[in-house]
C-alpha cells in the first residue's frame, strides 16, 4: 500500500495538514471552523447543490464548494473573505424568496439551520416583494410529514433513503422552483424501519415527525445523552424531555455503533418512561400482612433484618432481573444472592424478534433480534434467559425471590405469594408485585446513571434524563446499602463505584471504569469476549 | 423564396446539400462523396486522425469553442470502454442549425461521429437528440438503419474489424439536457441535472467511462477536414477561428434561416445584405449574437466580425451563432422577461441561486413589464443577477442573469418608461422615428 500523502493549506489563516483527498469542509472542521452547509452530510454523498459552502481559494477565479473540493498543497482558503461572505448572503436571500417564514408554528424553530444562518449572516431585510410559491403539505407515510413550502431542496432525505436505508422511494419531482420531494406513486415510507432519520437530518422544518408534531418547542427541551434500550444494538441517543416527560429520542453520533442513525422501532418506544402509575414509596408488609408505606431507613432496617433471618438457612435465591435495567442493578442483585448463599438461580426475560433488520447503508447497525438493551451484560454475569419470545412466562416462584425491574405483569396474581422472602425492586405495582414482602421504588434507566452492554460486548454509559419520583432510588443503591449491611464492603456512593465493584466480581468488566468508557463506550475484556461466555451475537 | 435560401456570398461546405432530399439517403450521400472520409480515417491510426483535426484548428460549435483536436487527444488506449456522444439537443432559444444539418444531411452527422469514435477509440456513438425533433430523429434513425444494413455501422465497420455502434437516444424535453453532463445523466436514465466537474467527461463521463461529447455541427465539419486536410480548412475563417460556421438568423429580418460563412464574416453585412435588412422598413434595435443566453448588443454595436474573439471583445459571445434580430418596435422588457421565464421554467432546480433566482428575476421583470415596478427593482435585478453568476454548478443561472443585466444597461430608458409611465413606449418611439 502506498502511503497517503499529506497536503498543507491554510484556512482563514490557520495552518492545516490533512491527508491528500480531504475535502475543504472536513479540513476546516479539524481546526474548529464550521463552514455553513445544507446539502452536505458526512455520511451521505455530496451533490454540492445548496451552494452555501462556497469558499474562496486564492488563485481560483470562481468560488469553490468546500464539500467536494479537495485540499491542494499550498491552498490559501478563505471562508470569511468579502467574496465568500457576499455569496453566502446572496444565497441565503434566495432561500427566503419562497420560504414561508412560519417559524412561530414550525417544529424546527430553534434547531433550524436556515434560521441559524440567516440570523448569523443574512440580510436585515428581504427584498422579495413577490407572492410566494405554495406547495402545501404531503403525508409521506410512516412518521413523516413533508412541508414543501419550507423545503430548501437539499435532497438529504432523498440521498438517505437511497444510500443508507437502501429504499429508493423518495425523489425530486418537477424542476426549477416547482421542485418538490415526493414518494414514488403510493409507495410511501410506511414500512421503512429507518425513515425517521430523515426528519433528523432535514436542516429545516420541511420534514416533520408526526409523533413530535407541535409537542414542544426546541428551546423548551432538556436533552440528556442516553442509550436506546429497545434492542441489543445500543444506539446512542439523546432523550429530549419537557416538564419531566420524554418528548422524543434523537440519535447521537457514535461511529462504532449507530453512526448518525437509529431505527424507528427504537425511536418510538419511549412512552413507558412517561407512565405516572409509579411506586412512590417503599412498601413493607406489616404484621397484619398488609403493605404499608414507610421511609427508607425503616424499610432498609426491616429488609436487612428479614434477609439476615432468611440467610441463616442458606436457602438459595432466585433473582429475576430486567434487561432494561442497568448492569449495575443486575450485578448487585446477583451479588446479593451470592452473599445470602445457597444455590442461586439468575434469570431474565427478554422479548425476541423473529429476524434481525440490518441497516443497508451502515451494516454495523441493525435492529437486533433481542429487543432489550442489556441481555449481554446479564449473560456475562451468569443470568439465563427464560420465557418466550414475547418476554413472557418462564418464571416459577421460589423460596427467596429478588425481582429487579421485571414488572411480572403477565404472571398469575398469586405469583410469589408462597415465597419465604420476596423482594420487589421496580416501578409498577402489578398484581404479582403486591405479593412481595418488600416493594422498593426504583428508578428507570432514564432517571439514573448506569451502563448497558450491547450485543457485541460494548459497555456504554447513559445519564439521567428525567427526575425520578422523590423516593425512588437506583436499584444498585438499594442493593448496595443492603450488601453493606450484610458485611459485603462499603455501599457504593455512585453508579461509577458500583460499576467498579462489578469489575472486582467479573473478569469481563475488570479494569474498566466510567472514565475509560468515554463517549464511544468500550468493549469488555477481550478474553471474555471471545471465550465461551456467549460470543453468540443476538 | 425557395427554402433554403442560398445567398451568393455564402461558402457552403456543411450546408451544401441543404434542400436536396436525395442527400438524405445513403446512396445519395455516397454520390456526393460520402463515407470516403470514414474509409480514409479507418485506415489511419487514431493519433493521425486527431493530428489532422488539431491541424485544422476546428473549434467546438456548441458554444464554448474549445479546440476539437485537443479534446480528442485526451483519450488514450487505456483499456476502458470510451463513448462518443453527439449533443443534438439544440435547445438554446434561437438555435436551429443542428436541426437543419440532421434533417438534410443525416449521413454527414453519422460519418463525422464515426470518425470521431475511431479517433478516441470508442466503440459506441450515442446521438442524444432533443425529444421535440420528431422529423430529424426519424431521418437520422432511417440513416442509421441504412448504415447498419450496409455494414458501415455495427460490428466490422467497412470490413476493418472495428466495432462502432450508433444509437439514437431521444431526450424528454429539458433544456438543461443540452448541458453535457446533464445529457449524460439523462442518457443513463437519471434525472437530467448537470454534474459537478471534476471529474470531467474525458475521465468519467457517460456510464462512468471516458466520454467525448461534440456538437452536431462540429462533427459535420470532420469528414470535410479528413477529405481535404487540416491546412485546407484553415484557409477559411480567421487565424484563431478557422473554418466555416452556420449562422442561424431569426427575428425581424427579411430573410431568416441558416447561412454558412467563414468565421469572421461581418455581422452588419449578414443582417443588412444576406438577410435583406430589417423587415417592414423598420430600424434595428438589438441583436443577440449567440443564442438567448449571451449578452445583448444594441444597434450601434453590430459592426463586428463574427468570430469567437471579435464577438468576445464586444462583450458578448458567439455561442452557437444563433442570431436573434429585434427591430425598434420590440419591447425589450418583454423580450428579456420571456427569456428569463424560459430559464426559470428550465432550471433543473439543483442549485439554490438558479432555482430561486431565475424565478425571482422573472417575477420582478413581469411586474415591471405590467407597470408595477419601481426603480429600486432595477438595482435588485442587477444584484440578484450578480449573486446568480458564478455560484452554481452549470451556467444556466448565469445565462438568465446576462441578458437581464445587459438589457438594463443598454435599454434602461425603456425599463424606466415601464416603471414611470406604466406602459411600453417602444412602439410609440418606433412610430415617431419611422414617420
Amino acid at each position: 500500500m502506498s502511503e497517503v500523502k499529506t497536503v498543507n493549506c491554510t484556512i482563514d489563516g490557520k495552518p492545516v495538514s490533512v491527508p491528500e483527498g480531504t475535502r475543504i469542509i472536513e479540513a476546516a472542521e479539524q481546526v474548529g471552523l464550521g463552514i455553513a452547509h445544507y446539502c452536505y452530510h458526512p455520511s451521505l454523498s455530496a451533490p454540492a447543490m445548496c451552494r452555501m459552502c462556497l469558499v474562496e481559494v486564492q488563485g481560483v477565479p470562481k468560488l469553490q464548494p468546500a464539500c467536494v473540493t479537495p485540499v491542494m498543497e499550498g491552498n490559501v482558503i478563505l471562508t470569511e473573505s468579502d467574496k465568500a461572505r457576499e455569496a453566502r448572503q446572496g444565497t441565503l436571500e434566495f432561500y427566503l424568496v419562497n420560504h414561508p417564514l412560519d417559524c412561530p408554528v414550525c417544529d424546527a424553530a430553534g434547531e433550524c439551520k436556515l434560521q441559524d444562518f440567516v440570523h448569523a449572516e443574512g440580510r436585515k431585510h428581504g427584498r422579495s416583494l413577490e407572492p410566494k410559491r405554495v406547495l402545501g403539505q404531503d403525508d409521506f407515510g410512516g412518521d413523516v410529514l413533508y412541508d414543501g413550502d419550507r423545503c430548501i431542496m437539499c435532497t438529504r432525505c432523498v440521498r438517505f433513503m437511497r444510500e443508507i436505508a437502501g429504499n429508493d422511494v423518495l425523489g425530486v419531482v418537477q424542476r426549477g422552483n416547482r421542485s418538490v420531494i415526493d414518494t414514488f406513486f403510493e409507495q410511501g415510507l410506511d414500512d421503512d424501519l429507518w425513515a425517521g432519520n430523515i426528519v433528523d437530518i432535514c436542516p429545516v422544518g420541511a420534514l416533520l415527525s408526526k409523533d413530535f408534531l407541535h409537542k414542544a418547542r426546541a428551546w423548551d427541551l432538556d436533552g440528556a445523552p442516553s442509550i436506546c434500550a429497545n434492542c441489543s444494538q445500543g444506539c446512542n441517543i439523546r432523550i429530549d424531555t419537557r416538564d419531566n416527560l420524554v418528548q422524543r429520542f434523537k440519535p447521537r453520533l457514535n461511529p462504532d455503533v449507530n453512526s448518525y442513525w437509529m431505527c424507528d422501532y427504537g425511536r418510538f418506544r419511549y412512552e413507558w418512561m412517561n407512565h405516572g402509575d409509579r411506586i412512590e414509596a417503599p412498601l413493607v408488609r406489616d404484621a397484619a400482612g398488609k403493605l404499608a408505606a414507610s421511609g427508607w431507613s425503616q424499610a432498609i432496617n426491616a429488609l436487612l433484618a428479614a434477609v439476615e433471618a432468611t440467610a441463616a438457612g442458606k436457602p438459595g435465591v432466585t433473582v429475576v432481573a430486567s434487561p432494561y435495567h442497568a448492569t449495575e442493578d443486575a450485578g448487585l442483585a446477583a451479588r446479593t444472592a451470592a452473599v445470602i448463599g445457597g444455590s442461586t438461580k439468575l434469570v431474565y426475560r427478554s422479548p425476541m424478534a423473529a429476524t434481525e433488520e440490518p441497516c443497508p447503508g451502515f451494516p454495523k447497525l441493525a435492529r437486533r433480534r433481542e429487543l432489550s438493551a442489556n441481555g449481554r451484560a446479564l449473560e456475562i454475569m451468569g443470568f439465563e434467559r427464560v420465557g418466550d419470545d414475547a418476554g413472557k412466562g418462564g418464571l416459577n416462584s421460589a423460596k427467596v425471590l429478588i425481582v429487579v425491574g421485571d414488572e411480572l405483569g403477565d404472571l398469575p396474581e398469586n405469583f410469589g405469594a408462597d415465597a419465604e422472602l420476596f423482594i420487589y425492586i421496580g416501578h409498577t405495582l402489578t398484581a404479582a408485585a403486591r405479593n412481595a414482602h418488600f416493594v422498593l421504588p426504583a428508578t428507570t434507566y432514564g432517571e439514573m446513571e448506569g451502563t448497558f452492554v450491547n450485543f457485541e460486548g460494548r459497555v456504554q454509559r447513559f445519564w439521567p434524563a428525567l427526575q425520578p419520583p422523590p423516593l425512588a432510588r437506583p436499584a444498585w443503591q438499594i442493593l448496595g446499602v443492603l450488601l453493606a449491611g450484610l458485611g459485603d464492603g462499603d455501599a457504593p456512593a455512585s453508579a461509577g463505584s458500583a460499576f467498579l465493584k462489578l469489575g472486582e466480581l467479573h473478569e469481563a468488566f475488570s479494569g474498566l471504569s466510567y472514565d475509560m468508557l468515554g463517549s464511544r463506550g468500550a468493549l469488555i475484556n477481550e478474553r471474555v469476549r471471545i471465550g465461551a461466555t456467549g460470543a453468540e451475537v443476538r | 423564396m425557395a427554402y433554403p435560401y442560398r445567398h451568393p456570398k455564402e461558402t457552403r461546405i456543411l450546408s451544401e446539400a441543404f434542400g436536396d432530399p436525395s442527400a438524405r439517403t445513403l446512396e445519395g450521400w455516397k454520390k456526393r462523396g460520402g463515407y470516403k472520409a470514414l474509409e480514409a480515417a479507418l485506415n489511419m491510426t487514431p493519433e493521425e486522425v486527431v493530428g489532422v483535426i488539431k491541424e485544422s484548428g476546428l473549434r467546438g460549435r456548441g458554444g464554448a469553442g474549445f479546440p476539437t483536436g485537443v479534446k480528442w487527444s485526451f483519450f488514450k488506449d487505456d483499456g476502458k470502454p470510451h463513448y462518443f456522444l453527439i449533443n443534438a439537443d439544440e435547445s438554446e432559444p434561437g438555435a436551429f442549425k443542428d436541426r437543419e444539418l440532421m434533417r438534410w444531411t443525416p449521413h454527414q452527422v453519422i460519418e463525422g461521429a464515426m470518425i470521431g469514435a475511431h479517433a478516441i477509440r470508442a466503440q459506441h456513438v450515442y446521438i442524444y437528440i432533443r425529444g421535440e425533433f420528431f422529423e430529424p430523429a426519424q431521418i437520422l434513425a432511417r440513416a442509421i438503419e441504412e448504415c447498419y444494413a450496409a455494414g458501415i455501422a455495427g460490428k466490422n465497420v467497412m470490413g476493418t474489424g472495428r466495432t462502432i455502434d450508433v444509437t439514437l437516444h431521444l431526450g424528454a424535453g429539458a433544456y438543461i439536457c443540452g448541458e453535457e453532463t446533464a445529457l449524460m445523466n439523462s442518457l443513463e436514465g437519471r434525472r437530467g441535472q448537470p454534474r459537478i466537474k471534476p471529474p470531467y467527461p474525458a475521465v468519467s463521463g457517460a456510464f462512468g467511462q471516458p466520454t467525448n461529447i461534440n456538437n452536431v455541427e462540429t462533427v459535420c465539419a470532420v469528414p470535410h477536414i479528413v477529405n481535404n486536410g487540416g491546412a485546407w480548412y484553415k484557409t477559411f475563417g480567421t487565424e484563431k477561428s478557422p473554418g466555416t460556421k452556420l449562422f442561424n438568423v431569426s427575428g425581424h429580418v427579411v430573410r431568416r434561416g441558416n447561412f454558412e460563412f467563414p468565421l469572421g464574416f461581418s455581422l452588419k453585412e449578414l443582417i443588412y445584405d444576406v438577410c435583406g435588412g430589417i423587415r417592414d422598413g423598420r430600424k434595428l434595435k438589438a441583436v443577440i449574437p449567440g443564442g438567448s443566453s449571451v449578452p445583448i448588443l444594441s444597434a450601434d454595436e453590430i459592426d463586428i466580425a463574427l468570430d469567437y474573439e471579435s464577438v468576445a471583445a464586444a462583450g458578448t459571445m458567439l455561442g452557437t451563432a444563433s442570431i436573434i434580430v429585434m427591430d425598434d418596435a420590440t419591447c425589450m422588457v418583454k423580450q428579456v422577461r420571456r427569456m428569463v421565464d424560459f430559464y426559470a421554467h428550465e432550471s433543473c432546480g439543483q442549485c439554490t441561486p438558479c432555482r430561486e433566482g431565475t424565478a425571482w428575476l422573472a417575477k420582478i421583470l413581469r411586474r415591471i413589464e405590467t407597470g408595477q415596478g419601481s426603480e429600486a427593482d432595477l438595482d435588485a435585478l442587477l444584484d440578484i443577477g450578480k449573486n446568480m453568476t458564478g455560484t452554481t454548478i452549470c451556467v444556466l443561472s448565469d445565462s438568465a442573469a446576462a441578458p437581464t443585466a445587459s438589457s438594463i444597461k443598454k435599454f434602461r430608458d425603456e425599463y424606466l418608461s415601464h416603471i414611470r409611465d406604466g406602459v411600453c413606449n417602444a412602439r410609440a418611439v418606433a412610430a415617431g422615428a419611422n414617420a
Side-chain angles (χ1 to χ4, degrees):
Chain A
M1 284 248 306
S2 59
E3 225 172 272
V4 180
K5 253 176 55 187
T6 299
V7 290
N8 305 291
C9 68
T10 66
I11 305 178
D12 290 348
K14 295 187 183 183
V16 193
S17 296
V18 288
E20 197 174 24
T22 305
R23 297 175 287 181
I24 293 172
I25 204 166
E26 296 157 345
E29 204 144 286
Q30 289 191 13
V31 285
L33 293 169
I35 296 178
H37 60 269
Y38 292 120
C39 67
Y40 165 81
H41 186 283
S43 280
L44 301 174
S45 62
M49 57 199 269
C50 75
R51 312 315 282 179
M52 276 302 291
C53 71
L54 295 181
V55 296
E56 188 174 346
V57 181
Q58 266 182 16
V60 181
K62 273 189 177 186
L63 296 174
Q64 298 294 305
C67 64
V68 291
T69 311
V71 172
M72 302 292 216
E73 180 62 40
N75 272 171
V76 176
I77 297 158
L78 303 170
T79 74
E80 290 296 337
S81 67
D82 288 348
K83 209 171 149 191
R85 203 177 316 108
E86 276 164 25
R88 275 201 298 277
Q89 199 176 53
T91 301
L92 282 169
E93 189 183 17
F94 288 130
Y95 276 113
L96 297 184
V97 171
N98 282 306
H99 189 86
L101 296 169
D102 58 346
C103 310
V105 294
C106 177
D107 272 346
E111 50 188 18
C112 168
K113 292 287 180 211
L114 189 57
Q115 240 182 8
D116 290 354
F117 296 153
V118 170
H119 200 73
E121 290 193 298
R123 295 175 66 92
K124 259 196 184 134
H125 299 286
R127 287 179 292 186
S128 175
L129 306 168
E130 321 309 321
K132 299 197 179 207
R133 167 217 60 195
V134 176
L135 296 165
Q137 287 195 338
D138 188 7
D139 185 346
F140 276 1
D143 180 55
V144 184
L145 202 60
Y146 173 68
D147 188 310
D149 301 329
R150 293 178 189 153
C151 181
I152 58 163
M153 267 310 130
C154 70
T155 70
R156 276 183 176 189
C157 52
V158 175
R159 285 173 286 133
F160 173 85
M161 290 308 293
R162 181 181 305 148
E163 295 164 18
I164 307 292
N167 186 11
D168 205 352
V169 290
L170 288 185
V172 180
V173 175
Q174 261 291 359
R175 64 181 184 224
N177 81 339
R178 286 104 56 220
S179 300
V180 282
I181 308 290
D182 207 347
T183 54
F184 283 119
F185 308 109
E186 291 309 300
Q187 192 190 347
L189 302 172
D190 272 344
D191 302 317
D192 195 279
L193 186 61
W194 308 99
N197 291 296
I198 65 176
V199 177
D200 303 337
I201 58 174
C202 179
V204 296
L207 294 172
L208 303 165
S209 163
K210 294 179 199 167
D211 181 72
F212 184 69
L213 199 65
H214 305 321
K215 254 170 50 173
R217 307 311 320 244
W219 52 87
D220 286 335
L221 294 171
D222 293 313
S226 190
I227 304 292
C228 173
N230 293 309
C231 89
S232 59
Q233 175 73 27
C235 286
N236 291 212
I237 60 165
R238 192 183 74 221
I239 299 182
D240 281 346
T241 64
R242 187 193 171 194
D243 298 340
N244 210 36
L245 293 171
V246 178
Q247 305 296 324
R248 63 179 181 187
F249 283 179
K250 283 276 183 192
R252 181 166 57 92
L253 173 65
N254 187 335
D256 295 326
V257 180
N258 57 311
S259 183
Y260 296 88
W261 324 120
M262 73 183 295
C263 76
D264 285 4
Y265 176 87
R267 186 188 292 266
F268 300 118
R269 279 172 173 73
Y270 61 80
E271 269 303 329
W272 66 271
M273 297 172 97
N274 293 339
H275 280 185
D277 54 343
R278 295 284 292 271
I279 302 169
E280 298 283 350
L283 305 175
V284 181
R285 196 169 293 283
D286 61 18
K290 282 231 152 99
L291 282 175
S294 86
W296 266 112
S297 46
Q298 273 174 291
I300 288 288
N301 285 337
L303 176 65
L304 189 56
V307 169
E308 274 172 342
T310 315
K314 301 241 173 276
V317 180
T318 294
V319 178
V320 182
S322 162
Y324 299 99
H325 264 248
T327 311
E328 291 76 2
D329 292 355
L332 293 198
R335 177 64 185 164
T336 308
V339 168
I340 291 171
S343 76
T344 59
K345 192 175 169 200
L346 308 176
V347 295
Y348 74 100
R349 308 190 297 168
S350 172
M352 195 76 93
T355 53
E356 190 169 293
E357 305 277 358
C359 174
F362 188 73
K364 264 187 209 172
L365 169 62
R367 206 289 317 281
R368 301 286 160 189
R369 281 196 61 207
E370 185 155 40
L371 299 176
S372 60
N374 213 24
R376 185 67 200 276
L378 294 171
E379 302 268 344
I380 288 166
M381 298 188 297
F383 284 77
E384 189 194 339
R385 180 172 173 262
V386 296
D388 59 18
D389 282 357
K392 294 192 166 135
L395 292 183
N396 299 310
S397 188
K399 210 166 175 189
V400 180
L401 200 54
I402 300 177
V403 177
V404 178
D406 194 316
E407 291 187 359
L408 310 175
D410 58 309
L411 296 175
E413 274 183 30
N414 62 352
F415 176 82
D418 52 347
E420 208 167 282
L421 178 60
F422 179 3
I423 305 167
Y424 181 83
I425 305 173
H427 339 112
T428 316
L429 199 59
T430 53
R434 285 178 194 278
N435 297 323
H437 300 94
F438 293 89
V439 175
L440 304 173
T443 54
T444 66
Y445 91 95
E447 299 161 348
M448 61 186 280
E449 236 188 303
T451 58
F452 286 145
V453 181
N454 84 347
F455 74 101
E456 58 166 351
R458 181 175 299 277
V459 189
Q460 304 190 99
R461 292 179 69 183
F462 52 79
W463 285 262
L466 296 164
Q467 287 289 325
L471 285 181
R473 296 286 180 270
W476 61 260
Q477 197 178 4
I478 302 167
L479 292 160
V481 171
L482 176 62
L483 279 167
L486 293 171
D488 189 52
D490 293 333
S494 66
S497 45
F499 183 72
L500 288 177
K501 192 172 169 90
L502 298 187
E504 293 161 18
L505 299 171
H506 302 282
E507 204 183 341
F509 304 128
S510 70
L512 293 179
S513 68
Y514 272 18
D515 284 347
M516 285 175 61
L517 299 181
S519 61
R520 285 165 78 155
L523 289 171
I524 57 169
N525 290 319
E526 193 87 356
R527 219 156 1 129
V528 182
R529 191 152 50 90
I530 54 180
T533 43
E536 174 208 0
V537 170
R538 297 216 282 236
Chain B
M1 183 174 64
Y3 180 82
Y5 171 81
R6 190 178 285 242
H7 195 274
K9 284 186 184 167
E10 281 189 76
T11 308
R12 292 216 166 197
I13 297 172
L14 273 58
S15 57
E16 180 53 36
F18 278 18
D20 174 9
S22 76
R24 287 174 177 164
T25 62
L26 181 58
E27 196 195 342
W29 187 246
K30 280 192 158 170
K31 267 192 196 140
R32 288 174 166 266
Y35 291 105
K36 282 209 182 95
L38 175 60
E39 203 173 353
L42 289 168
N43 285 321
M44 294 156 74
T45 64
E47 286 76 15
E48 283 167 350
V49 179
V50 172
V52 172
I53 301 302
K54 264 190 178 169
E55 192 200 344
S56 77
L58 174 65
R59 292 172 67 172
R61 302 294 191 231
F66 192 81
T68 306
V70 176
K71 200 172 188 176
W72 288 6
S73 69
F74 296 149
F75 295 85
K76 304 287 174 243
D77 193 3
D78 54 9
K80 289 181 184 169
H82 296 179
Y83 293 101
F84 195 93
L85 269 47
I86 302 296
N87 185 346
D89 196 59
E90 192 164 64
S91 41
E92 184 82 356
F96 50 91
K97 62 188 179 62
D98 296 342
R99 183 188 71 200
E100 296 307 292
L101 285 167
M102 291 185 284
R103 274 180 75 211
W104 295 110
T105 60
H107 285 288
Q108 185 173 232
V109 180
I110 297 167
E111 186 176 5
M114 289 182 70
I115 295 170
H118 173 62
I120 70 151
R121 299 180 168 84
Q123 298 200 329
H124 210 135
V125 172
Y126 283 97
I127 303 175
Y128 184 98
I129 187 167
R130 175 180 178 160
E132 293 89 337
F133 278 175
F134 303 118
E135 193 203 5
Q138 281 176 347
I139 292 169
L140 263 177
R142 208 174 301 136
I144 292 168
E145 250 174 64
E146 283 182 310
C147 286
Y148 271 96
I152 292 172
K155 292 193 168 56
N156 195 15
V157 171
M158 296 182 118
T160 57
R162 283 274 279 129
T163 297
I164 302 176
D165 280 309
V166 181
T167 304
L168 186 69
H169 183 99
L170 261 82
Y175 167 73
I176 195 59
C177 289
E179 197 280 343
E180 57 185 23
T181 55
L183 184 151
M184 288 169 198
N185 274 340
S186 172
L187 181 67
E188 291 176 20
R190 300 168 198 275
R191 213 175 135 80
Q193 292 180 328
R195 300 174 181 173
I196 313 155
K197 295 186 239 179
Y200 291 93
V203 176
S204 173
F207 313 103
Q209 302 300 331
T211 300
N212 178 76
I213 181 159
N214 282 126
N215 177 256
V216 169
E217 191 185 352
T218 314
V219 292
C220 283
V222 167
H224 304 283
I225 294 168
V226 171
N227 278 332
N228 301 300
W232 164 82
Y233 195 69
K234 283 198 116 162
T235 62
F236 303 98
T238 68
E239 195 196 335
K240 285 185 173 168
S241 303
T244 60
K245 174 92 190 71
L246 294 186
F247 296 97
N248 36 155
V249 187
S250 61
H252 303 148
V253 288
V254 174
R255 282 185 293 271
R256 297 171 289 275
N258 275 290
F259 305 97
E260 187 172 357
F261 287 102
L263 283 159
F265 192 74
S266 157
L267 174 58
K268 204 169 181 178
E269 198 178 343
L270 181 67
I271 293 172
Y272 287 106
D273 180 5
V274 178
C275 297
I278 308 304
R279 70 177 188 194
D280 301 336
R282 289 195 183 280
K283 289 201 170 63
L284 178 68
K285 181 177 207 171
V287 177
I288 304 176
S292 67
S293 46
V294 307
I296 302 170
L297 293 173
S298 57
D300 52 357
E301 293 174 312
I302 64 155
D303 199 3
I304 55 169
L306 289 167
D307 58 76
Y308 295 102
E309 289 71 28
S310 308
V311 181
T316 177
M317 285 182 286
L318 183 61
T320 49
S322 305
I323 296 159
I324 304 170
V325 181
M326 292 177 246
D327 69 17
D328 55 1
T330 309
C331 171
M332 291 311 290
V333 180
K334 181 180 176 187
Q335 288 316 311
V336 170
R337 193 268 304 156
R338 286 265 292 122
M339 276 190 265
V340 174
D341 260 348
F342 172 82
Y343 288 112
H345 186 258
E346 295 295 340
S347 164
C348 81
Q350 258 191 122
C351 302
T352 309
C354 176
R355 179 182 67 239
E356 303 294 343
T358 49
W360 191 11
L361 288 183
K363 282 179 182 171
I364 297 175
L365 285 164
R366 187 176 285 276
R367 204 152 42 73
I368 295 175
E369 187 192 344
T370 54
Q372 310 292 312
S374 70
E375 279 173 54
D377 284 333
L378 297 183
D379 297 333
L381 283 173
L382 291 173
D383 192 53
I384 295 164
K386 197 190 98 219
N387 290 337
M388 291 166 64
T389 304
T391 53
T392 49
I393 292 174
C394 79
V395 294
L396 188 146
S397 184
D398 309 44
S399 303
T404 309
S406 66
S407 69
I408 292 175
K409 209 161 81 194
K410 293 174 184 174
F411 303 96
R412 198 178 179 93
D413 284 350
E414 223 173 301
Y415 279 92
L416 289 176
S417 95
H418 277 262
I419 290 166
R420 290 175 183 163
D421 310 331
V423 288
C424 179
N425 66 353
R427 276 187 182 273
V429 170
N434 291 334

